[in-house]
């Protein structure tokens, strides 16, 4: 996860971050390739299911010619889904390199699951998704715009819970379900052309 986040943030910094610079009454966009970014780590969904994720906040400052400028990144928001896909690609590649195997659950969106995690466990620990799907079902619509609204309307305040107690509870639930057996190979699952 950390490697995937770092890789995508580096791409954003290089490709997206710039500023507007005015010289001789002419304003132009200049790529600066540097940013300040704060990362906030979360381990839990709003429904108290396990969900490792980082919130990455790009500050509105970048350096150009030794001075701080406001960030001008017109394409970053438009490319947010692309960067989400890049994150999933990087995460999958990192897992494969470490010897874990995956199976693609939605090729169009680039979603995947670790092999060995039972569907029952995935479903049980997807309470937030269930809330959103139930709202969409009540509206009898399933489009992207409706889904965005459902996410917001079903969002309840985050509760501060002891991560240790949650982890114990998750383990107990998984044990009741028969456990999870994620096998790791000796070497990487993904091999380069030279290694094959």
């Amino acid at each position: 996860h950390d490697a995937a986040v770092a890789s995508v943030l580096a791409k954003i910094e290089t490709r997206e971050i710039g500023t507007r610079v005015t010289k001789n009454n002419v304003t132009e966009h200049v790529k600066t390739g540097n940013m300040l970014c704060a990362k906030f780590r979360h381990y839990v969904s709003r429904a108290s299911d396990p969900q490792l994720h980082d919130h990455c906040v790009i500050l509105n400052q970048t350096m150009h010619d030794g001075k701080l400028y406001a960030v001008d990144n017109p394409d970053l928001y438009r490319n947010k889904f692309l960067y989400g896909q890049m994150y999933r690609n990087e995460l999958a590649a990192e897992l494969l390199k470490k010897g874990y195997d995956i199976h693609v659950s939605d090729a169009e969106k680039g979603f995947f699951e670790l092999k060995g995690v039972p569907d029952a466990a995935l479903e049980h620990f997807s309470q937030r998704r269930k809330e959103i799907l139930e709202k969409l079902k009540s509206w009898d619509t399933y489009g992207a715009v409706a889904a965005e609204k459902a996410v917001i309307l079903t969002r309840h305040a985050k509760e501060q819970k002891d991560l240790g107690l949650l982890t114990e509870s998750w383990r107990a639930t998984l044990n009741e379900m028969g456990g999870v057996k994620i096998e790791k190979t000796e070497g990487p699952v993904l091999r380069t052309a030279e290694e094959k």
Side-chain angles (χ1 to χ4, degrees), residues 114-160:
L114 276 174
K115 280 193 178 174
V117 179
D119 289 342
L122 293 172
E123 187 174 328
H124 178 81
F125 290 116
S126 298
Q127 298 305 308
R128 184 75 181 105
R129 183 172 191 277
K130 283 181 194 170
E131 292 169 353
I132 295 163
L133 290 175
E134 285 172 11
K135 179 59 83 176
L136 290 170
K137 185 177 180 181
S138 75
W139 294 340
D140 195 30
T141 185
Y142 295 92
V145 173
E148 283 185 31
K149 287 180 185 174
V151 166
I152 292 167
L153 291 175
T154 59
R155 182 180 288 166
H156 31 268
K158 289 186 178 181
E159 297 177 32
Q160 295 299 320

Side-chain angles (χ1 to χ4, degrees), residues 56-68:
C56 302
V57 180
I58 298 171
L59 280 67
N60 191 22
Q61 291 188 330
T62 187
M63 286 289 261
H64 176 68
D65 285 342
K67 294 193 296 189
L68 283 175

Side-chain angles (χ1 to χ4, degrees), residues 57-86:
V57 180
I58 298 171
L59 280 67
N60 191 22
Q61 291 188 330
T62 187
M63 286 289 261
H64 176 68
D65 285 342
K67 294 193 296 189
L68 283 175
Y69 284 83
V71 171
D72 179 43
N73 55 347
D75 295 330
L76 181 56
Y77 186 77
R78 185 174 46 221
N79 292 330
K80 66 183 178 180
F81 292 113
L82 171 65
Y83 288 112
Q85 182 61 59
M86 286 180 178

Side-chain angles (χ1 to χ4, degrees), residues 85 87-93 95 101-107 109-115 122:
Q85 182 61 59
Y87 165 78
R88 289 187 293 278
N89 291 350
E90 293 284 341
L91 180 61
L95 289 166
D101 204 356
I102 63 171
H103 74 87
V104 176
S105 55
D106 186 334
K109 294 178 182 165
F111 294 141
F112 66 89
E113 304 295 343
L114 276 174
K115 280 193 178 174
L122 293 172

